[in-house]
Amino acid sequence: FGQTPTTEPVWDTVGDLLSVLRTCGTMVPFNDVVIASVAVAAGVELWTRDTHFSFIQQIEPRLRLFPES
């Protein structure tokens, strides 16, 4: 798997998501928001057990989480 660039639009998404999450009173680590934003920009599913990503997905429905069976 190669590297995915963190472009200016990705950083804009990071800022927007952090702002909305904090306005809602949901504290999510910065690095999780960056990972989610890059996953959305790359159009890939994110495979995680970290519940923070479910909170992010409520704000950013384009975030696709890998369904663990």
Side-chain angles (χ1 to χ4, degrees), residues 19-57:
S19 176
V20 172
L21 288 162
R22 289 185 178 148
T23 298
C24 294
T26 305
M27 299 304 290
V28 175
F30 176 79
N31 57 311
D32 286 353
V33 177
V34 173
I35 292 167
S37 298
V38 170
V40 168
V44 297
E45 285 183 322
L46 187 58
W47 189 358
T48 181
R49 291 182 177 164
D50 186 334
T51 58
H52 291 132
F53 292 99
S54 296
F55 297 130
I56 297 170
Q57 189 181 46

Side-chain angles (χ1 to χ4, degrees), residues 4 6-7 11 14 17 28 35-36 44 50 53 57 62 64 69:
T4 301
T6 309
T7 61
W11 288 117
V14 170
L17 286 173
V28 175
I35 292 167
V44 297
D50 186 334
F53 292 99
Q57 189 181 46
R62 295 178 299 166
R64 295 182 298 133
S69 304

